[in-house]
Amino acid sequence: MAKMEVKTSLLDNMIGVGDMVLLEPLNEETFINNLKKRFDHNEIYTYIGSVVISVNPYRSLPIYSPEKVEDYRNRNFYELSPHIFALSDEAYRSLRDQDKDQCILITGESGAGKTEASKLVMSYVAAVCGKGAEVNQVKEQLLQSNPVLEAFGNAKTVRNDNSSRFGKYMDIEFDFKGDPLGGVISNYLLEKSRVVKQPRGERNFHVFYQLLSGASEELLHKLKLERDFSRYNYLSLDSAKVNGVDDAANFRTVRNAMQIVGFMDHEAESVLGVVAAVLKLGNIEFKPESRVNGLDESKIKDKNELKEICELTGIDQSVLERAFSFRTVEAKQEKVSTTLNVAQAYYARDALAKNLYSRLFSWLVNRINESIKAQTKVRKKVMGVLDIYGFEIFENADNSFEQFIINYCNEKLQQIFIELTLKEEQEEYIREDIEWTHIDYFNNAIICDLIENNTNGILAMLDEECLRPGTVTDETFLEKLNQVCATHQHFESRMSKCSRFLNDTSLPHSCFRIQHYAGKVLYQVEGFVDKNNDLLYRDLSQAMWKAGHALIKSLFPEGNPAKINLKRPPTAGSQFKASVATLMKNLQTKNPNYIRCIKPNDKKAAHIFNENLVCHQIRYLGLLENVRVRRAGYAFRQAYEPCLERYKMLCKQTWPHWKGPARSGVEVLFNELEIPVEEYSFGRSKIFIRNPRTLFKLEDLRKQRLEDLATLIQKIYRGWKCRTHFLLMKKSQIVIAAWYRRYAQQKRYQQIKSSALVIQSYIRGWKARKILRELKHQKRCKEAATTIAAYWHGTQVRREYRKFFRANAGKKIYEFTLQRIVQKYFLEMKTKMPSLSPIDKNWPSRPYLFLDSTHKELKRIFHLWRCKKYRDQFTDQQKLIYEEKLEASELFKDKKALYPSSVGQPFQGAYLEINKNPKYKKLKDSIEEKIIIAEVVNKINRANGKSTSRIFLLTNNNLLLADQKSGQIKSEVPLVDVTKVSMSSQNDGFFAVHLKEGSEAASKGDFLFSSDHLIEMATKLYRTTLSQTKQKLNIEISDEFLVQFRQDKVCVKFIQGSQKNGSVPTCKRKNNRLLEVAVP
């Protein structure tokens, strides 16, 4: 049986109010108090209808586990407590099942948790969609694009350690099954001014610090960088290290993510090379220098930094140096070159750094898009995730062009939010056949028109001011605003012609104020013109295009001299306006889902809820306006089935089961409870409740009824429990009584049985003993009769045969006894035989002295037999080896001290491997016979006793000596001319080969050699000579023997002594007749 699914509701165990639409009374104070109450109980998510409010907890909470993902999977939006997973699931199921493109809009100020919220949405979608190798690869690439973009687009600010300094919109594309196919990322307004300057307490983009902290020494050397942050002017030092952030580990994560997304190794290195070039640009400094014509120009102080930048980028040093010192202006066919002073040179340097980094970031986004885009051309479903900066209001009039652009984007988002929310409400009313009533709300279209109007909007006037000839400053721009926008109700300025602001001292002269939907924002006009122009001198663009670095060259296509465009590039404001228009058009084609992120405090600390800060965010996010729009008609709506299931216990007709349609049951229920008709309406599939008080009344009635039902259940349960206990006790008593009676009868039976057994045993014992006595008597009588009969028959037989055995009885008895003893001896020997190992010396002891000779002969025969059995196992080659070893034993055992050390060494013969060594190919070719020995020996010089290395070769018929280096044969002696071999009895390798007198080989006399394999060489020489001449070679072992050297006979004498060479014997000629060998 399947496990029953337990259904809950948003209203169960609710802390505060889970849906702000149900908040009563609704005002700013109760709104904030409800958020605070839920925040204090770790409930960071709250609904406004289908909108999710997320309060950043600044700590990890156990609410994102795989189990939580499964809890919210395929569940109704209001079925469980508020969670970002509920919105993600609703959006994904709508896309998959209803074929509706979705978008999730995540807004909030820096530090409110927008980036984390977008990651949670993507991780949830990745967890619930399909599986498979290709699908998993796509999901992994989509998820791994985040670390790359965060490294290059995020930075540490005073409000957030990982603040997104760009807007990101990702379209995730799915197939008809709901499996991801790929994605497309769009980026908006990277804060590139951060590259060259950061506010106090903030950092530059993460990638700079990650590169310097995590790169290997080899990579840093290649990029011409040092690990010390203080070496670079573009990096702020007061907050270079962030607590809890490991830049080195993050660098490894980014490199790994780039690899997963699809970056090639050379692409990643090129990107890091551009980052290094931006860092080193900040170290270029300028000094003033006066020219002859009185004009000031700038020169680079230290050209070493410029040289390293040029080496990194592949730009000619003189080209880049000129681009920093001169500016060329082209008009039609004329070119005018002007020098740059120090301030202009620094401006050019910073403009280049900002443009280089900004274009690199755009290239990264495009490169990621190439990797993660859908590979198939089938029809796709799209889910967009927008993670964009929230409304920004800085104090002390620090709001500049960036804040103006960001707030303009938020105005557009608020406009589409209100329009889509109203549209959604109206569509639901029409779908449910509920009468639609007009809802009054603040329409911020007038503010959007103030900013984006093509004729007299602020952005249009800013572009007009930037493009007009003459002197253009921020003040002239403000004057233009004062002329055109002075009468606009949402524009304020101290210099306006409208006299109402002339006495407003809170409004500085160089500022203007706009009444946004979220409140008034004071903008500092300084920098508006420059930031909107976003100029990069053409000389620098052309210098970058000439770079040998392929990536840098591709980032500056306008630097190509063949494609010079004198048309002024579009301004930053117009580009952003076009991007926002495209984004709004994209969002309007999708079903919207909203996540509003709120930052509880400025300290980035857990458990702190700053009500003033939260109130400020609630205002500029327009959350109260959102609630009012949502509950302008009906505050609460619910499908009939869950409504009846939740409240059916309040009516006797619907409790416990209603058998009709769910709508009829709800009608009966509400009529029974006498709820005023004006408080609710019946739709096609939902019940609509106008006032939250009605819903809370239903909840109070349900709570009271549940208590009554709980009491009833307790009463019935207790009665059932008592009855069950009584019946169990009664049944137990019967069982215990039955078991006791059984036990008592068994015990009595065992006693009777044991008594009967005792009596039986005594009677059987008595009977057995009686029978035993009778049997013993019968046996003794039978044995006595048998003994008497035996003696009688023996007497008769002896009397009959005594005449035959008297003469030779003793001899036959002796022979018989001896035969039996020998037979017994051989049978015992059969079981006591030793093992078949020839070296096993065990033999059974003889049992009788007269068998001594027989015992020894048997031992000898058995040993010979097992030796034969052992020999039969040998191959022919092994037999030959053992024959040689045996021959050596007969020749040298107990005669030559060197013999024992040779026993364990196998006789190899061909030590030089002449057949394999190309060095001796000529020597091998000159010998046609089989080589038995090929060894290097030391030939003793006849004149002085010194040794010379020679190759000793023994064949079937000859003994040859060859030169070791050249392989040339020096001497060849037939074996028939060898008469004797002499050697000492000591532990040395000297031996003499005596030749037949008068032979051709003996013309120079006998040979005296020294070898490490004396025993083997003498044995093989002996065996070969015997085989060829059929005569045994004389082996003389003596410590003195004569050697024929030419016409003289020389005595070779072996003596004991210590040598300078350690354990090596030495030979020395003492006189004409004596050659002395000292053996250690």
Side-chain angles (χ1 to χ4, degrees):
M1 184 176 176
K3 185 179 177 181
M4 183 178 292
E5 185 178 8
V6 179
K7 289 187 178 290
T8 59
S9 170
L10 173 71
L11 301 172
D12 286 332
N13 303 320
M14 190 166 56
I15 298 171
V17 177
D19 190 342
M20 289 294 188
V21 175
L22 304 178
L23 188 62
E24 191 68 25
L26 176 63
N27 53 54
E28 202 171 74
E29 183 180 356
T30 57
F31 193 100
I32 294 172
N33 288 339
N34 187 54
L35 282 181
K36 185 176 187 304
K37 184 177 182 179
R38 293 178 61 79
F39 178 79
D40 291 340
H41 289 81
N42 295 330
E43 293 286 342
I44 62 171
Y45 295 113
T46 308
Y47 291 156
I48 301 177
S50 60
V51 177
V52 175
I53 301 174
S54 171
V55 182
N56 192 344
Y58 285 117
R59 61 194 178 99
S60 298
L61 295 176
I63 58 175
Y64 307 108
S65 62
E67 292 77 15
K68 278 288 183 184
V69 171
E70 289 303 316
D71 287 345
Y72 282 88
R73 187 173 186 172
N74 294 328
R75 302 295 283 268
N76 185 277
F77 186 75
Y78 295 102
E79 193 171 337
L80 299 176
S81 59
H83 202 290
I84 195 172
F85 287 170
L87 180 136
S88 304
D89 187 73
E90 184 78 10
Y92 177 70
R93 285 193 292 116
S94 296
L95 175 135
R96 182 191 63 192
D97 302 336
Q98 302 175 22
D99 205 18
K100 292 182 179 178
D101 288 350
Q102 304 289 316
C103 65
I104 298 176
L105 280 66
I106 307 171
T107 56
E109 71 171 49
S110 178
K114 301 187 298 299
T115 302
E116 289 302 316
S118 67
K119 290 181 185 177
L120 289 171
V121 170
M122 292 178 66
S123 64
Y124 180 85
V125 173
V128 300
C129 64
K131 309 296 180 186
E134 293 184 4
V135 173
N136 289 339
Q137 181 183 3
V138 171
K139 291 193 290 188
E140 187 67 14
Q141 286 186 334
L142 290 173
L143 294 175
Q144 290 299 326
S145 65
N146 279 325
V148 179
L149 293 179
E150 284 185 15
F152 287 86
N154 288 23
K156 187 260 183 190
T157 66
V158 292
R159 298 182 176 185
N160 184 5
D161 289 344
N162 188 31
S163 176
S164 297
R165 307 317 298 164
F166 70 104
K168 182 179 75 171
Y169 176 74
M170 173 183 282
D171 268 335
I172 308 173
E173 299 172 336
F174 298 84
D175 62 10
F176 69 97
K177 302 189 300 294
D179 295 339
L181 296 173
V184 179
I185 299 173
S186 302
N187 64 302
Y188 300 96
L189 194 67
L190 176 73
E191 188 190 14
K192 57 186 178 183
S193 60
R194 181 171 293 272
V195 174
V196 300
K197 183 179 180 182
Q198 306 90 41
R200 186 172 183 79
E202 298 190 2
R203 296 205 311 177
N204 210 323
F205 292 102
H206 292 326
V207 67
F208 295 113
Y209 305 93
Q210 292 173 359
L211 174 60
L212 297 180
S213 300
S216 63
E217 293 295 338
E218 180 184 358
L219 179 58
L220 288 178
H221 178 73
K222 184 177 181 181
L223 298 178
K224 307 186 183 303
L225 296 176
E226 298 178 18
R227 211 172 287 281
D228 185 11
F229 295 159
S230 61
R231 288 277 293 110
Y232 304 101
N233 297 333
Y234 279 165
L235 301 184
S236 59
L237 300 179
D238 56 340
S239 56
K241 295 291 184 181
V242 181
N243 293 333
V245 175
D246 187 348
D247 287 318
N250 290 341
F251 180 74
R252 293 189 291 272
T253 302
V254 171
R255 288 300 299 267
N256 182 57
M258 292 177 77
Q259 189 175 7
I260 292 173
V261 170
F263 282 81
M264 306 298 289
D265 289 341
H266 69 88
E267 289 179 320
E269 290 180 4
S270 295
V271 169
L272 296 179
V274 177
V275 174
V278 172
L279 264 181
K280 299 190 74 64
L281 273 175
N283 290 352
I284 294 181
E285 296 183 349
F286 301 94
K287 60 182 179 180
E289 190 171 295
S290 297
R291 301 180 69 182
V292 178
N293 56 7
L295 295 176
D296 290 336
E297 66 176 9
S298 60
K299 291 290 183 182
I300 296 175
K301 287 183 180 180
D302 183 6
K303 294 187 179 181
N304 186 49
E305 291 285 353
L306 182 66
K307 178 183 177 183
E308 292 184 350
I309 292 173
C310 292
E311 290 174 357
L312 271 176
T313 57
I315 302 173
D316 184 77
Q317 184 173 343
S318 60
V319 171
L320 189 58
E321 184 176 2
R322 174 175 175 78
F324 280 133
S325 302
F326 294 88
R327 178 188 179 189
T328 303
V329 179
E330 297 184 24
K332 295 182 180 179
Q333 301 300 322
E334 297 182 2
K335 289 186 179 180
V336 178
S337 181
T338 60
T339 59
L340 300 179
N341 57 33
V342 172
Q344 291 171 331
Y346 276 117
Y347 174 84
R349 179 201 69 177
D350 291 346
L352 177 60
K354 289 187 292 185
N355 270 272
L356 191 57
Y357 191 83
S358 174
R359 297 183 189 204
L360 171 65
F361 186 78
S362 298
W363 180 88
L364 276 172
V365 173
N366 293 331
R367 179 63 183 82
I368 292 173
N369 285 337
E370 288 179 14
S371 295
I372 67 176
K373 68 181 179 182
Q375 301 300 320
T376 59
K377 296 183 179 180
V378 298
R379 182 177 175 275
K380 308 176 187 72
K381 304 176 184 180
V382 178
M383 176 185 288
V385 180
L386 178 64
D387 172 11
I388 201 162
Y389 15 64
F391 205 87
E392 287 194 355
I393 304 176
F394 294 147
E395 298 178 357
N396 304 322
D398 286 338
N399 304 292
S400 187
F401 179 74
E402 291 83 3
Q403 283 68 46
F404 175 75
I405 290 295
I406 288 171
N407 294 342
Y408 160 61
C409 180
N410 277 271
E411 285 285 357
K412 296 294 289 182
L413 288 173
Q414 176 68 10
Q415 184 182 22
I416 195 172
F417 169 69
I418 296 296
E419 289 177 359
L420 293 177
T421 302
L422 287 174
K423 180 182 178 183
E424 183 183 1
E425 285 285 297
Q426 188 173 5
E427 286 178 353
E428 184 172 21
Y429 278 47
I430 295 171
R431 188 169 56 249
E432 293 293 333
D433 201 14
I434 302 293
E435 183 181 353
W436 171 258
T437 55
H438 177 71
I439 299 174
D440 290 327
Y441 66 95
F442 170 68
N443 188 345
N444 67 335
I446 187 173
I447 303 175
C448 296
D449 185 70
L450 170 66
I451 298 173
E452 67 181 5
N453 187 283
N454 291 329
T455 306
N456 53 8
I458 295 177
L459 286 176
M461 287 185 286
L462 180 59
D463 286 350
E464 183 181 332
E465 190 68 15
C466 291
L467 297 175
R468 75 173 178 83
T471 303
V472 178
T473 64
D474 296 318
E475 288 73 18
T476 60
F477 165 62
L478 184 57
E479 290 177 5
K480 194 174 190 69
L481 286 183
N482 292 333
Q483 294 173 6
V484 178
C485 303
T487 59
H488 199 286
Q489 58 181 342
H490 291 274
F491 178 84
E492 302 174 3
S493 171
R494 184 73 175 270
M495 300 170 65
S496 172
K497 295 180 179 181
C498 186
S499 60
R500 55 183 172 143
F501 302 120
L502 293 177
N503 296 324
D504 185 358
T505 57
S506 66
L507 190 61
H509 289 278
S510 60
C511 298
F512 65 91
R513 188 156 51 201
I514 294 179
Q515 176 69 46
H516 287 283
Y517 76 91
K520 293 184 178 181
V521 182
L522 186 66
Y523 295 104
Q524 174 63 253
V525 78
E526 183 181 351
F528 262 64
V529 173
D530 282 342
K531 291 175 181 178
N532 188 53
N533 270 326
D534 193 22
L535 282 180
L536 179 67
Y537 297 151
R538 183 173 288 110
D539 303 75
L540 289 171
S541 297
Q542 293 175 349
M544 292 297 105
W545 188 83
K546 294 176 182 177
H549 195 287
L551 176 56
I552 293 179
K553 183 171 183 175
S554 67
L555 296 179
F556 293 87
E558 75 276 11
N560 187 351
K563 299 181 181 179
I564 292 180
N565 185 3
L566 299 180
K567 185 178 178 181
R568 193 180 183 91
T571 61
S574 61
Q575 291 182 47
F576 188 74
K577 177 182 173 183
S579 299
V580 169
T582 303
L583 175 63
M584 295 303 121
K585 185 178 180 181
N586 193 352
L587 295 179
Q588 285 176 340
T589 63
K590 296 179 174 61
N591 185 51
N593 303 271
Y594 298 96
I595 301 173
R596 304 297 207 178
C597 298
I598 290 179
K599 180 169 65 173
N601 60 77
D602 275 329
K603 298 179 181 179
K604 295 178 279 192
H607 306 294
I608 299 177
F609 190 91
N610 188 325
E611 295 186 8
N612 291 332
L613 179 63
V614 172
C615 177
H616 172 69
Q617 294 172 81
I618 289 172
R619 288 175 182 170
Y620 74 63
L621 286 173
L623 298 184
L624 281 174
E625 185 77 11
N626 188 359
V627 177
R628 291 189 181 99
V629 169
R630 178 74 182 184
R631 62 188 284 181
Y634 292 91
F636 182 76
R637 65 224 50 193
Q638 191 175 27
Y640 290 124
E641 288 80 3
C643 179
L644 182 61
E645 184 69 23
R646 185 168 183 81
Y647 301 114
K648 64 181 180 179
M649 72 285 296
L650 301 180
C651 176
K652 292 181 180 180
Q653 299 179 50
T654 57
W655 176 258
H657 300 292
W658 175 256
K659 297 183 179 179
R663 173 170 177 165
S664 302
V666 175
E667 290 176 354
V668 170
L669 175 65
F670 276 52
N671 290 333
E672 180 76 16
L673 296 176
E674 298 181 350
I675 297 175
V677 179
E678 62 273 10
E679 285 295 318
Y680 62 89
S681 290
F682 292 106
R684 294 180 184 273
S685 62
K686 294 180 181 179
I687 175 74
F688 287 75
I689 298 176
R690 187 177 301 278
N691 199 304
R693 284 193 298 272
T694 304
L695 180 64
F696 293 143
K697 178 184 176 183
L698 287 173
E699 284 296 310
D700 292 340
L701 292 173
R702 179 178 180 273
K703 183 178 180 182
Q704 183 61 43
R705 181 59 178 158
L706 286 177
E707 292 177 358
D708 295 341
L709 289 174
T711 304
L712 179 62
I713 292 170
Q714 285 178 346
K715 180 182 72 172
I716 295 172
Y717 172 73
R718 286 170 183 161
W720 170 83
K721 188 175 181 181
C722 290
R723 284 193 301 275
T724 304
H725 182 67
F726 167 75
L727 292 174
L728 182 61
M729 292 289 288
K730 182 179 180 181
K731 182 179 178 181
S732 301
Q733 185 272 332
I734 295 171
V735 172
I736 291 170
W739 276 87
Y740 176 75
R741 284 194 293 272
R742 176 185 175 187
Y743 166 75
Q745 291 300 321
Q746 284 179 341
K747 187 174 183 182
R748 185 168 178 271
Y749 166 75
Q750 291 294 340
Q751 287 176 348
I752 295 172
K753 183 179 178 180
S754 61
S755 300
L757 290 174
V758 170
I759 295 171
Q760 285 177 350
S761 65
Y762 274 103
I763 293 174
R764 289 177 182 141
W766 173 77
K767 286 184 177 181
R769 286 191 294 276
K770 183 179 178 182
I771 293 171
L772 180 63
R773 283 195 299 271
E774 292 176 355
L775 291 174
K776 284 183 177 179
H777 178 70
Q778 292 175 4
K779 183 179 180 182
R780 282 196 297 271
C781 291
K782 187 177 180 180
E783 287 177 350
T786 303
T787 302
I788 293 169
Y791 273 97
W792 168 250
H793 288 304
T795 303
Q796 293 294 324
V797 171
R798 285 190 297 275
R799 188 179 294 170
E800 179 70 23
Y801 288 95
R802 186 174 295 151
K803 58 185 175 182
F804 298 109
F805 289 105
R806 231 169 238 175
N808 56 359
K811 182 180 177 181
K812 286 188 177 183
I813 292 170
Y814 171 76
E815 289 176 353
F816 175 78
T817 304
L818 191 64
Q819 183 181 359
R820 292 297 297 166
I821 289 173
V822 171
Q823 184 181 8
K824 182 180 178 182
Y825 166 71
F826 280 116
L827 290 173
E828 288 179 350
M829 284 295 291
K830 180 181 179 181
T831 61
K832 295 181 180 179
M833 281 295 166
S835 67
L836 294 179
S837 174
I839 61 174
D840 187 357
K841 296 183 179 180
N842 293 325
W843 186 252
S845 60
R846 57 173 170 71
Y848 305 103
L849 184 62
F850 75 90
L851 293 173
D852 183 60
S853 59
T854 303
H855 195 68
K856 290 180 179 178
E857 184 65 17
L858 278 176
K859 179 179 180 181
R860 187 184 70 81
I861 293 171
F862 177 77
H863 181 68
L864 292 175
W865 174 78
R866 68 183 176 183
C867 286
K868 181 180 181 304
K869 296 288 285 184
Y870 184 75
R871 289 196 301 273
D872 289 344
Q873 301 174 5
F874 296 159
T875 62
D876 293 342
Q877 184 177 2
Q878 289 177 323
K879 287 180 181 179
L880 179 63
I881 292 173
Y882 282 111
E883 286 176 3
E884 290 180 344
K885 285 289 184 179
L886 184 60
E887 194 80 61
S889 175
E890 292 175 355
L891 291 174
F892 302 110
K893 186 176 181 181
D894 298 328
K895 298 177 184 178
K896 178 69 174 172
L898 187 65
Y899 171 74
S901 63
S902 71
V903 173
Q905 300 176 355
F907 289 173
Q908 298 179 11
Y911 289 96
L912 290 186
E913 296 184 345
I914 292 179
N915 294 331
K916 298 180 181 179
N917 195 336
K919 177 180 177 181
Y920 303 118
K921 183 178 185 303
K922 182 177 179 181
L923 177 61
K924 174 181 174 296
D925 294 340
S926 65
I927 301 173
E928 298 179 353
E929 299 177 282
K930 178 184 176 183
I931 297 174
I932 300 172
I933 292 179
E935 164 69 333
V936 175
V937 299
N938 292 322
K939 177 178 175 294
I940 307 304
N941 192 295
R942 300 176 177 89
N944 51 21
K946 295 183 180 181
S947 62
T948 306
S949 295
R950 288 286 186 269
I951 297 175
F952 184 96
L953 299 172
L954 176 64
T955 65
N956 290 331
N957 296 308
N958 296 293
L959 188 154
L960 298 95
L961 293 177
D963 186 82
Q964 185 183 6
K965 295 182 179 179
S966 64
Q968 181 181 0
I969 297 175
K970 296 291 187 180
S971 301
E972 183 174 357
V973 180
L975 290 182
V976 296
D977 291 345
V978 178
T979 60
K980 183 174 64 173
V981 175
S982 300
M983 64 187 73
S984 74
S985 62
Q986 299 185 37
N987 192 17
D988 63 277
F990 285 85
F991 68 99
V993 178
H994 301 274
L995 307 179
K996 184 188 296 184
E997 293 183 7
S999 65
E1000 182 181 354
S1003 61
K1004 293 185 180 180
D1006 300 334
F1007 292 104
L1008 183 60
F1009 300 111
S1010 173
S1011 172
D1012 293 336
H1013 302 93
L1014 168 62
I1015 301 299
E1016 179 182 358
M1017 295 178 69
T1019 302
K1020 287 184 180 291
L1021 182 61
Y1022 176 84
R1023 287 174 61 83
T1024 306
T1025 304
L1026 179 62
S1027 174
Q1028 296 299 321
T1029 64
K1030 308 301 181 181
Q1031 296 180 358
K1032 292 185 178 180
L1033 181 66
N1034 184 18
I1035 304 293
E1036 180 184 353
I1037 301 177
S1038 173
D1039 289 345
E1040 287 188 21
F1041 52 82
L1042 294 176
V1043 179
Q1044 183 75 33
F1045 283 170
R1046 294 187 182 276
Q1047 305 301 323
D1048 300 328
K1049 289 188 178 291
V1050 178
C1051 177
V1052 180
K1053 184 177 182 180
F1054 293 83
I1055 62 172
Q1056 294 287 336
S1058 58
Q1059 297 81 27
K1060 297 180 182 179
N1061 294 336
S1063 60
V1064 180
T1066 58
C1067 183
K1068 188 174 182 181
R1069 187 77 178 258
K1070 288 294 187 179
N1071 51 51
N1072 292 338
R1073 299 293 180 180
L1074 178 63
L1075 190 66
E1076 195 173 80
V1077 179
V1079 182

